[in-house]
Amino acid sequence: MGYPRHILFREELLEKSPVICQPEASRFMKRTLTRSPVSNRILTGLCMVHDLSVSDVSRWIGVHPGTFRKWLHQGTLPSNAFQEKAEAFFRIPKSVLFADCILHPDTKSSR
């Protein structure tokens, strides 16, 4: 993915508690990677390494799955409220979760 290990995994959190407290089992769908290009590699990578489906994460953070897919595939920058929900779920600062969106000049904002 091109990012150092310390960006995707906060070692001090791994030692104390799980990074993600998912409410139930989930499964990452490989088609997430093959159907369209991935613009947000960090968020997609987290879903992949933690075996989380787009639909499940969407439900858990309270956003429509289509909107979450826009974050992954189109590099759409969510509203501040949804950035905070994603930050709380993944326990990673929103500035890191959405770094790919922020660094692209054609970034879009969504709800």
Side-chain angles (χ1 to χ4, degrees):
M1 293 178 50
Y3 287 96
R5 178 182 167 93
H6 72 276
I7 295 293
L8 294 178
F9 305 100
R10 292 177 60 190
E11 300 294 333
E12 67 276 3
L13 286 178
L14 289 174
E15 293 172 6
K16 295 178 183 175
S17 65
V19 174
I20 297 173
C21 297
Q22 64 191 75
E24 56 196 52
S26 186
R27 185 172 173 98
F28 181 77
M29 300 296 183
K30 291 182 182 173
R31 68 177 181 236
T32 302
L33 297 173
T34 60
R35 284 201 173 164
S36 40
V38 171
S39 293
N40 189 328
R41 295 179 296 163
I42 294 173
L43 197 56
T44 303
L46 285 166
C47 289
M48 186 170 59
V49 298
H50 292 289
D51 203 19
L52 302 170
S53 80
V54 169
S55 298
D56 289 339
V57 173
S58 299
R59 187 176 73 248
W60 296 331
I61 66 173
V63 65
H64 189 276
T67 300
F68 191 78
R69 285 184 187 92
K70 286 181 183 179
W71 300 354
L72 301 179
H73 298 294
Q74 296 175 13
T76 303
L77 184 63
S79 68
N80 196 45
F82 281 124
Q83 287 181 51
E84 289 172 3
K85 287 182 177 193
E87 178 181 63
F89 178 77
F90 286 104
R91 295 185 184 183
I92 292 178
K94 60 186 175 184
S95 61
V96 173
L97 285 176
F98 298 101
D100 286 332
C101 302
I102 294 165
L103 297 174
H104 289 87
D106 60 341
T107 299
K108 304 168 193 164
S109 269
S110 75
R111 291 181 174 188

